[in-house]
Amino acid sequence: MNIAGSHSERNILVVAHAQRADTVDAAERVVSALRAAGATPVLAPGDAGPLAAERAVFASIATLGDDVDVRDLELAIVLGGDGTILRAAELVRDGTAPVLGINMGHVGFLAEIERDDMDAAVGRVIDLDYEVEERLALHVEVRDAADAVIYETWALNEATVEKASRERMLEVVIGVDGRPLSSFGCDGVVVSTPTGSTAYNFSAGGPVIWPSVQAISVVPLSAHALFAKPLVVGPDHTVSIDVLERTAGVGILWCDGRRSHELPPGARVVVCRSERPVRLARLHPTAFTDRLVRKFQLPVAGWRGPTIASGDAP
């Protein structure tokens, strides 16, 4: 057993939506295996009704919040792509349950395994044979022109300040640790974690950051300025994005593409490391390089093989 402790009553959240037949089939297999092992499957409130409408087996399953408290969950098994995994991370945010992703989508960068290995994965969950990896998350605040906090949230992948109207540009000032860095017009700014560096940050031209690196990436979107390059700051720094009063229109804050808040002119978004990381269950700890190659199907033909560093040169 690679994880510390266990629950006397084993409540395991199964996160799956009923929009795809293969996901419903997979959820039924997972629920049956958990019950056979004496564990209690739990469904998210938004999943319970649609799944029960598809299959009678889901009608008698406990529901998170109504029947089981989030703090009593042992683990969350997620059947889906990265969007479903982000939803699961939101569902268990107030507890300590790690999230195990089984990829039912396409890239599924956050997923631990593919659907073909699902039965073996559930068996290892039942045996408590997995490790827990903690990933840096972001704490996000919106402050008004009087510097009062008017909205708070968090993000696993990224916090993005974007223009709300296509025809309008945002005028922003980027700051780090309470000091101004640069001002420019842009379509937005992406503030990303290492986990999110392969998501929106990657598409915007930001750096891929290994999960073992504790850092925060800041990437302007279509900026009209000479100094508007991607930045990487340490995890203990605080990044601010001021939406200037002269901005024609409003901006909008998006966190993980799931939580949003309107940003009127004069608003400030403040982003720093959250005190609470996101916990991911890992069955096969592998090199991040291999994950990049596999998920993005990168060409590696011609590689001569590994070289072991021998230390400092004479």
Side-chain angles (χ1 to χ4, degrees):
M1 183 174 72
N2 293 322
I3 61 172
S6 60
H7 297 71
S8 56
E9 183 177 1
R10 305 189 63 185
N11 299 308
I12 297 179
L13 180 67
V14 180
V15 180
H17 56 68
Q19 297 175 4
R20 290 175 45 174
D22 59 344
T23 303
V24 175
D25 291 340
E28 184 173 0
R29 285 165 57 189
V30 170
V31 164
S32 297
L34 293 175
R35 282 177 162 170
T40 301
V42 181
L43 294 177
D47 296 337
L51 286 172
E54 291 290 326
R55 307 276 173 87
V57 67
F58 298 112
S60 60
I61 296 180
T63 302
L64 182 65
D66 294 334
D67 305 307
V68 177
D69 189 272
V70 66
R71 293 168 295 183
D72 294 326
L73 291 176
E74 176 180 306
L75 179 126
I77 297 177
V78 186
L79 302 168
D82 285 350
T84 310
I85 293 174
L86 290 171
R87 178 164 68 93
E90 186 175 39
L91 287 169
V92 303
R93 183 64 178 163
D94 291 332
T96 59
V99 174
L100 174 68
I102 299 177
N103 184 31
M104 304 292 291
H106 299 290
V107 177
F109 208 94
L110 289 172
E112 172 65 5
I113 60 168
E114 302 301 318
R115 71 182 74 187
D116 295 342
D117 301 320
M118 182 179 65
D119 294 330
V122 174
R124 291 185 61 177
V125 166
I126 292 168
D127 293 337
L128 296 175
D129 183 19
Y130 58 86
E131 298 178 355
V132 175
E133 177 183 347
E134 293 190 341
R135 293 289 186 92
L136 181 150
L138 300 176
H139 174 75
V140 186
E141 294 179 352
V142 177
R143 295 174 176 262
D144 63 16
D147 209 36
V149 176
I150 58 176
Y151 180 72
E152 287 185 85
T153 187
W154 66 283
L156 170 58
N157 270 358
E158 74 278 312
T160 307
V161 173
E162 302 177 24
K163 59 182 184 180
S165 301
R166 182 176 181 180
E167 68 276 10
R168 303 290 188 182
M169 182 181 293
L170 288 181
E171 296 284 343
V172 303
V173 178
I174 304 296
V176 178
D177 295 337
R179 302 300 302 162
L181 181 64
S182 187
S183 174
F184 44 77
C186 61
D187 287 350
V189 181
V190 179
V191 184
S192 170
T193 67
T195 300
S197 71
T198 52
Y200 198 171
N201 169 86
F202 179 81
S203 300
V208 174
I209 303 175
W210 262 237
S212 58
V213 177
Q214 299 293 292
I216 298 171
S217 171
V218 183
V219 181
L221 300 173
S222 302
H224 291 230
L226 178 63
F227 187 81
K229 300 299 184 182
L231 306 173
V232 178
V233 302
D236 296 323
H237 294 288
T238 298
V239 175
S240 64
I241 304 162
D242 289 7
V243 180
L244 297 181
E245 294 279 1
R246 66 175 181 263
T247 293
V250 298
I252 187 168
L253 168 71
W254 281 99
C255 289
D256 291 340
R258 296 191 51 80
R259 297 168 295 280
S260 65
H261 189 81
E262 187 175 280
L263 302 172
R268 167 177 285 180
V269 176
V270 181
V271 184
C272 62
R273 174 167 58 178
S274 171
E275 295 180 354
R276 296 163 55 200
V278 171
R279 309 177 81 230
L280 300 179
R282 293 304 192 196
L283 302 177
H284 309 287
T286 58
F288 183 66
T289 307
D290 295 341
R291 185 177 289 267
L292 282 175
V293 170
R294 185 175 71 255
K295 296 294 185 179
F296 289 144
Q297 300 181 0
L298 301 178
V300 293
W303 185 57
R304 61 182 292 177
T307 298
I308 306 301
S310 57
D312 296 334

